[in-house]
Amino acid sequence: MRKVTNLIFEKSVIGRKGYQLPELDTPALSANTIFPAKLLREQAAELPEVSEVDAVRHFTELSKRNYGVDQGFYPLGSCTMKYNPKIDEDLARLKGFADSHPYQPEELSQGSLELMYRLDSILAEITGMARMSLVPAAGAHGELAGVMAIKAYHRSRGDHKRRKFIVPDSAHGTNPATAAAAGYETVEVKSDERGGVDVAELKQLMGDDIAGLMLTNPNTLGLFELNIVDIAAMVHDCGGLLYYDGANANAILGITRPGDMGFDVVHLNLHKTFATPHGGGGPGAGPIGVKERLVPFLPCPTVEFDGEKYFLDYARPQSIGRIKNFYGHFAALIRAYAYILSMGAAGLRHVSDTAVLNANYMLHHLKTRYDLPYDRICMHEFVLSGTKQKQQGASTLDIAKRLLDYGFHPPTVYFPLTVKEAIMIEPVESEPKETLDSFIDAMLKIADEVESNPALVRSAPQTTVVGRLDEVKAVRQPVLRHVFK
Amino acid sequence: MNVPQQLIYSHAHEWVKVDGDRAYIGITDYAQSSLGDIVFVELPAEGDKVAAGVTFGVVESVKAASDLYCPISGTVVAANHALLDNPELLNTDPYTNWIIAVALSDHGELATLLTPEQYAELIK
Amino acid sequence: MHRYIPNTEAERKDMLATLGMQDMEELFADIPDKVRLRRPLKIPKSHSELELTAHMTALANNNLGARNYTCFLGAGAYDHYIPSVINHMLLRQEFFTAYTPYQPEISQGTLQAIFEFQTMICELTGLDVANASVYDGATALAEAAIMACNATRRNEIIVADSVHPENRAVLRTYSDTRDMVIKTVPHKRGQLDIELLQAAISMNTAAVVVQSPNFFGIAEDIRAAADTTHAVGALLITSVDPLSLGVLKSPGEQGADIAVGDGQALGVPLSYGGPYVGFMSATQKLLRHMPGRIVGATTDIEGNRAFVLTMQTREQHIRREKATSNICTNNALIALATAIYMTVMGKVGLKEVAEQCLSKSHYAYGELLKTGHFEPAFDHTFFKEFVVKSKVPLQDLNRKLLRHNILGGYDLGQDYPELKNHWFLAVTEKRTKAEIDNLVAKVVE
């Protein structure tokens, strides 16, 4: 099973070629006739020399050392690893989209602009917001744009004393990192005994120095914030705004909307909720939506329609400005739009119903053997604790690695930080019951193994192409690139 | 856990060894054991002012970063540069490998720190 | 029922019964009634695959991209040749449907590919360390500026106005909510004016930002900028076109501390602006200030070489508000596309592409000047893009060309009032002599 794959550089053979360009049909110029010697490259970059076949074999071999959604269950909490429809890949590659230059005239981009305009209004309806910006490249980028918009809103009112942003202790790391990147001091609010925001503590924190509160709802424990209406009122009463982290939006489609809960700004992760592929870490897309009073502050440009044609609007004097090149991850927007059209309103509702049912079904079976810190109905995900198993001799990390031997991608582990030995499971709607059952069986078997033979679990995984890695060495003696002899 | 008798301690799991006007500061056996394999230490520059309760550096394991809080106030007169290349020294011998030496500006602060007995109680 | 959701009504009933429930509504008991949506979402009806394809094809056909047009437009997004193998490899589901490689034992494919990508970026840019990518060239530049401020503990960024206007705009947005001051230095005849840079720079300067080839296509003297920058202890950030590094000296060899850029030219479709990929590399000294994910080599328990995400304490999921950046999701799949591109083109191919761009753009430049309709704007030390001053208004010119399915150049007057009717064209290796001659013919028609 274990096998090292050589680097592409180690497969390089001097003189091999993987490309062919048409013969140059204009007069050949050498770089040294154009540029002064000091600007010329003397030594070529050590890129590999391989044939096309070598390249295809190499990357195919690498792909076989990966695990994707099409292979099997991927219950990563907060990541919403659902099926990525094949047709969406075809549609994103339609020549009319793929061969469009971002600076080509707007009258020749009407198809793309119409798609963006339609997606904008659909996402606004789903979230209960007035308008969206489709520009942000990922969830964290949406957070940054959204918090910048909140800052611009306060500034526009001459309100400069708001220096703090409140973030729950169960929040994703991007929340405090974003608030800091937008120039705010982050203040942490604790969770209460039911897993929600501690309202009493939140009340203490309220004041005219609070710019806003970032919240994920359902939160990272997979629990709906019972006091959301009061929390929203509390923040608004002190002049702050509410930011909705859409990481968990798969639980609420057609059931409730951030706008109706009182949120002023929301981001969606199209690569989670709307089925665009994660690509081994990206690209994603993180559109943001805002209530009416924040529309002027959205990033530039927005897509508008004047009754006859669609156009990019840069004439937005109060906008926070540009946050990336061009108009967003357009090819990801195509996929998300196609997915939403595939589902329709009833289909999206069916997504959330099924995701929530699947999560509760698994929770029901798994809480018999694993600790459940907050025993409530969950939404689309839930968090177990491996504390009991840790005492029996195998940690949450060991359990995660053992799941690899059973052929599953492990859940998110050690997050949220508020739960010890956390195991965060999100089964998503696109998994059939028999997959859920086989994962439940594996988890229960592992619980048995931890009791009878914890060493077995600690030594997992056995079946993967590499064993557990020495991560300490990776940091103490960093090797971050191949070094040529 | 090893809690040497000749040192005094902070609530943030640092030890202090006083030598005249100078104090050596390191992390305790308990601290290194909770952190696990230490892979990186960030040190202040010599000459930096430090204040009691304020961070002066960072120690990191693979999946965690912990700020170092200065137990006392003063000026950094030396930083243990050996830790930059061999951060694991804090795991193998936390009480020999001090992190910084500080010229004390307020001897009175020492009285606010914990005795070995008090610290042993804290980490029980 | 829906084709993407397997469980049947009967299975759902069965599962609900396991929970002791009759109705789905019981699962939503925690949601206050006040915030429940009691009507269907007002969005289009569910489309079958055939209906969807028809609708999407109609939209796509409403774009220029659907036509067979000839592209002379660049300005940050380029019509280069994309080897077919890239798409085939990207469509391996093991790559595109995988998550971030947090479980290294089953993610060696992504991890090794990114390690190879990092190596290639280091090789191209002549610097020590590279990250696993950020969103695009503009955000890479903004992140580099933040990195420089943190590393130098200074807060002023000096940026040449020959840097892409969009990238400067993004930098401004990022600086606006933090303690960062942006100063701009005007160009002199299309190049960074070192004397003006010397006048602007101070001990408060964290970094100087230069683009090469710049937004006029001209290669900058990075060494001269680096010397001026280093004299005050600041860092030099260079934004580069990776393809140009097939012939131009790497930023690292010329003294740059950080190199950033957009990887679109390396095998990524235009796609109306994205997703592309931002790359970043830097000197070893700056490693701990790098944003984003970094892959490192280590060994597994049996001593085999294996790859893992490393130096993670810089990142938001660990360091939270003290992280070097808030970035989480990056553009890994597009980084993979560029790695495949650099693999098939290889050491020789990258240089050949660069030389073809160089030859063809200089041919087009010469032919356009010969028409008498244009004047040279700057000197001729350009790579694949150049500026000519048009004697006729550019709007009319570009409109005329579009009627012949030619996408003309960028109007620099939009961003530089002093460069009214300055036409900025890109000529890649994909343009044939016939296409260039046709452009010239249609211009004079």
Side-chain angles (χ1 to χ4, degrees), chain B residues 1-4 7-16 25-35 38 68 90-91 93-95 97 99 119 122-123:
Chain B
M1 287 295 163
N2 183 10
V3 182
L7 305 175
I8 50 178
Y9 298 89
S10 76
H11 282 94
H13 309 289
E14 279 105 13
W15 56 260
V16 177
I25 296 163
I27 60 169
T28 64
D29 190 25
Y30 175 85
Q32 72 78 20
S33 142
S34 336
L35 275 162
I38 293 171
L68 292 165
L90 291 179
N91 290 121
D93 197 351
Y95 293 112
N97 292 291
I99 298 171
Y119 183 69
L122 177 76
I123 60 172

Side-chain angles (χ1 to χ4, degrees), chain A residues 118-132 254 256-260 345, chain C residues 37 39-44:
Chain A
R118 284 168 175 256
L119 181 61
D120 184 325
S121 54
I122 289 171
L123 296 179
E125 162 68 6
I126 290 171
T127 55
M129 293 287 163
R131 267 312 289 272
M132 309 291 294
T256 176
R257 308 189 301 173
D260 300 335
Chain C
L37 184 72
R39 59 164 177 81
L41 288 168
K42 293 173 191 156
I43 63 172

Side-chain angles (χ1 to χ4, degrees), chain C residues 229-285:
Chain C
T229 303
H230 293 156
V232 297
L235 302 173
L236 183 72
I237 300 169
T238 53
S239 174
V240 291
D241 173 351
L243 264 191
S244 73
L245 299 175
V247 291
L248 291 176
K249 187 166 274 190
S250 71
E253 285 174 286
Q254 297 183 77
D257 302 281
I258 305 174
V260 297
D262 199 297
Q264 187 271 332
L266 305 174
V268 181
L270 287 164
S271 286
Y272 203 48
Y276 301 162
V277 58
F279 61 83
M280 300 185 74
S281 60
T283 56
Q284 184 73 36
K285 226 168 71 180

Side-chain angles (χ1 to χ4, degrees), chain A residues 369-415:
Chain A
R369 301 297 299 277
Y370 292 88
D371 288 342
L372 176 66
Y374 302 98
D375 195 356
R376 284 170 49 184
I377 295 172
C378 70
M379 297 293 284
H380 67 308
E381 68 185 6
F382 58 96
V383 179
L384 303 170
S385 168
T387 309
K388 187 164 67 192
Q389 284 71 24
K390 173 106 193 237
Q391 285 158 0
Q392 291 167 343
S395 68
T396 284
L397 182 71
D398 300 324
I399 294 167
K401 297 304 180 195
R402 185 63 182 150
L403 277 166
L404 298 175
D405 286 334
Y406 282 93
F408 295 108
H409 194 290
T412 297
V413 291
Y414 298 102
F415 185 80

Side-chain angles (χ1 to χ4, degrees), chain C residues 115-191:
Chain C
F115 183 82
E116 293 173 356
F117 167 79
Q118 289 174 183
T119 304
M120 292 172 187
I121 293 298
C122 288
E123 273 297 308
L124 275 184
T125 58
L127 285 159
D128 307 320
V129 289
N131 71 10
S133 81
V134 295
Y135 312 131
D136 63 8
T139 53
L141 181 63
E143 292 279 8
I146 292 165
M147 215 175 133
C149 290
N150 292 338
T152 59
R153 299 185 188 185
R154 301 178 184 181
N155 73 339
E156 181 186 276
I157 303 290
I158 297 181
V159 55
D161 82 341
S162 51
V163 171
H164 195 303
E166 281 201 15
N167 294 11
R168 285 185 284 130
V170 172
L171 181 61
R172 261 199 311 282
T173 305
Y174 272 65
S175 70
D176 190 47
T177 48
R178 57 171 74 228
D179 179 28
M180 194 196 288
V181 179
I182 310 288
K183 281 190 186 170
T184 307
V185 179
H187 66 96
K188 187 164 132 193
R189 291 192 292 275
Q191 272 171 301

Side-chain angles (χ1 to χ4, degrees), chain A residues 295-311:
Chain A
V295 171
F297 307 102
L298 283 174
C300 264
T302 53
V303 180
E304 306 291 344
F305 182 58
D306 66 7
E308 283 176 14
K309 60 178 195 314
Y310 299 91
F311 63 101

